[in-house]
Amino acid sequence: MRALEPAEVDIPRHIQKIGVANRSLPPKDINLLNILEGFVTGESIMGDREASTRTVEGLATRLNNSPRFTAVVLYGLDLRGTGTKKFPEPLNWGEVDRLCQQYDVDALALLETFDSDLFLDKKTRQVKRTREGKEYEVTEHLARLNIRVNSGWRIYDAKEKRIVDANVYTDEKGWEGRGDNPDQALSGLPDKRRAINDAALFSGERYGVRISPTWVNITRQYYSRGHDDLKKAKVYVKRRNYDPAMDIWKRLALHADLKIAGMAAFNMAVICEVQGEYDLALSWANKSLREFNNKKASGYIQTLNARKARQARLDRQMGQ
């Protein structure tokens, strides 16, 4: 099922619209040094500029996919930082006010540091294969490309004149290629520039999870075997037609066989959680454990209590 999970950081409720911009580029007078470094290391000259832009876009996309915020990427805004992993001095509040008014936003989320590292690892291993019924051993070549992105963010609250979050986020993304020779293994890897951009986009999205409620997929198990009626209820659940399934489980919760009753009560807890009825879900789960001695309900009770606490935090963040 889909669930809206709360953010790790509570952003003030008056912040609804956020301007996202890149402030990680070096001062203009040291751009030449960066270009020369690009030639020496073999990196793309514009690699970090392009990748940091993708990081900004990743955050904006994540925020816009959340019901909590609207995000606007401030393209063309030439804010400069250190060009290193070191944070620049905070933007002065007069400039924050001016930009927020100009772009009609409540706060600024600025990418203030950005750095990417690339690691390529090659190795071989012996694997067994079968051809025409005969098993033989061959050498398989492996190539592993890892990209580590280090991004530092600040969020400036224009109304309260304070930085509500300052965080350095490190993310790593990897790709693997395999083949009968080194070239074949390498051909399974993405282009390095595209790989860095993909990792940068992912890093921005991950920071969005820190500051904004995010939709996630969660899984719950329920009993569909052990009684013919449990099998019937499963058909309804697969169709998301929960009412007939609940009727079956409520009836089975009165069964003389405590094991069957415990399974039915457990299923009722699950369906109540699906419908957002956490207290009722806890009531059914406790019934399954205490009245019918269903040990699996013990762990589920802990899960429900944690979910209920997260929901309370989410309600505060969403102003509900």
Side-chain angles (χ1 to χ4, degrees), residues 230-301:
L230 290 176
K231 296 178 183 178
K232 293 178 183 177
K234 178 183 177 181
V235 175
Y236 292 118
V237 173
K238 282 192 168 185
R239 297 172 182 168
R240 299 187 181 274
N241 188 8
Y242 298 135
D243 288 343
M246 293 171 69
D247 290 339
I248 292 173
W249 293 333
K250 286 177 182 178
R251 186 174 68 252
L252 288 179
L254 302 174
H255 201 283
D257 187 327
L258 296 186
K259 183 177 180 181
I260 293 173
M263 291 190 292
F266 185 97
N267 286 2
M268 282 298 300
V270 171
I271 209 66
C272 288
E273 183 193 2
V274 170
Q275 296 176 335
E277 301 284 350
Y278 302 117
D279 289 333
L280 194 54
L282 279 164
S283 176
W284 278 106
N286 277 296
K287 186 180 184 72
S288 179
L289 174 65
R290 291 168 184 165
E291 294 186 26
F292 307 128
N293 199 34
N294 183 354
K295 301 297 184 183
K296 289 186 177 180
S298 178
Y300 187 39
I301 289 170

Side-chain angles (χ1 to χ4, degrees), residues 22 31 40 56 91 93 97 112 119 146 202 209 262 266 269 272:
N22 189 359
N31 267 350
V40 171
V56 166
L91 208 62
W93 291 108
D97 276 338
E112 305 216 328
F119 307 93
N146 281 348
F202 179 71
V209 173
F266 185 97
C272 288

Side-chain angles (χ1 to χ4, degrees), residues 80-317:
R80 297 286 171 155
T82 64
T84 69
K85 292 182 180 180
K86 182 181 178 180
F87 272 88
E89 288 296 314
L91 208 62
N92 72 74
W93 291 108
E95 182 72 356
V96 171
D97 276 338
R98 184 186 71 78
L99 291 173
C100 286
Q101 290 179 27
Q102 178 181 345
Y103 292 98
D104 189 26
V105 295
D106 306 310
L108 299 176
L110 301 185
L111 176 66
E112 305 216 328
T113 70
F114 181 85
D115 186 66
S116 62
D117 296 305
L118 183 150
F119 307 93
L120 181 61
D121 182 42
K122 302 176 186 178
K123 60 182 179 180
T124 61
R125 66 178 181 182
Q126 298 303 116
V127 297
K128 292 183 179 179
R129 293 181 182 169
T130 303
R131 179 187 296 168
E132 297 178 353
K134 293 183 180 180
E135 191 177 78
Y136 61 102
E137 196 171 77
V138 299
T139 299
E140 183 178 55
H141 292 260
L142 303 175
R144 175 79 182 177
L145 176 65
N146 281 348
I147 306 291
R148 183 181 299 135
V149 172
N150 181 289
S151 51
W153 295 90
R154 283 189 181 124
I155 298 181
Y156 295 81
D157 181 349
K159 179 180 179 181
E160 297 185 352
K161 301 291 186 292
R162 68 186 181 97
I163 295 172
V164 296
D165 190 44
N167 182 264
V168 177
Y169 217 84
T170 301
D171 255 307
E172 190 166 311
K173 194 170 183 180
W175 296 262
E176 188 174 86
R178 303 180 184 184
D180 295 331
N181 55 63
D183 288 341
Q184 201 174 70
L186 288 171
S187 69
L189 299 177
D191 172 78
K192 291 179 182 178
R193 186 165 178 173
R194 181 172 70 83
I196 292 174
N197 286 342
D198 287 351
L201 180 71
F202 179 71
S203 177
E205 290 174 343
R206 292 301 302 161
Y207 182 66
V209 173
R210 173 177 168 83
I211 65 172
S212 178
T214 304
W215 287 104
V216 298
N217 292 318
I218 61 175
T219 302
R220 296 288 183 261
Q221 292 183 328
Y222 66 97
Y223 293 98
S224 60
R225 291 182 295 178
H227 190 282
D228 286 344
D229 284 349
L230 290 176
K231 296 178 183 178
K232 293 178 183 177
K234 178 183 177 181
V235 175
Y236 292 118
V237 173
K238 282 192 168 185
R239 297 172 182 168
R240 299 187 181 274
N241 188 8
Y242 298 135
D243 288 343
M246 293 171 69
D247 290 339
I248 292 173
W249 293 333
K250 286 177 182 178
R251 186 174 68 252
L252 288 179
L254 302 174
H255 201 283
D257 187 327
L258 296 186
K259 183 177 180 181
I260 293 173
M263 291 190 292
F266 185 97
N267 286 2
M268 282 298 300
V270 171
I271 209 66
C272 288
E273 183 193 2
V274 170
Q275 296 176 335
E277 301 284 350
Y278 302 117
D279 289 333
L280 194 54
L282 279 164
S283 176
W284 278 106
N286 277 296
K287 186 180 184 72
S288 179
L289 174 65
R290 291 168 184 165
E291 294 186 26
F292 307 128
N293 199 34
N294 183 354
K295 301 297 184 183
K296 289 186 177 180
S298 178
Y300 187 39
I301 289 170
Q302 296 178 28
T303 298
L304 285 171
N305 279 321
R307 179 89 193 274
K308 185 179 176 182
R310 293 198 305 275
Q311 184 64 43
R313 184 174 187 184
L314 174 66
D315 289 343
R316 292 194 299 271
Q317 291 178 355

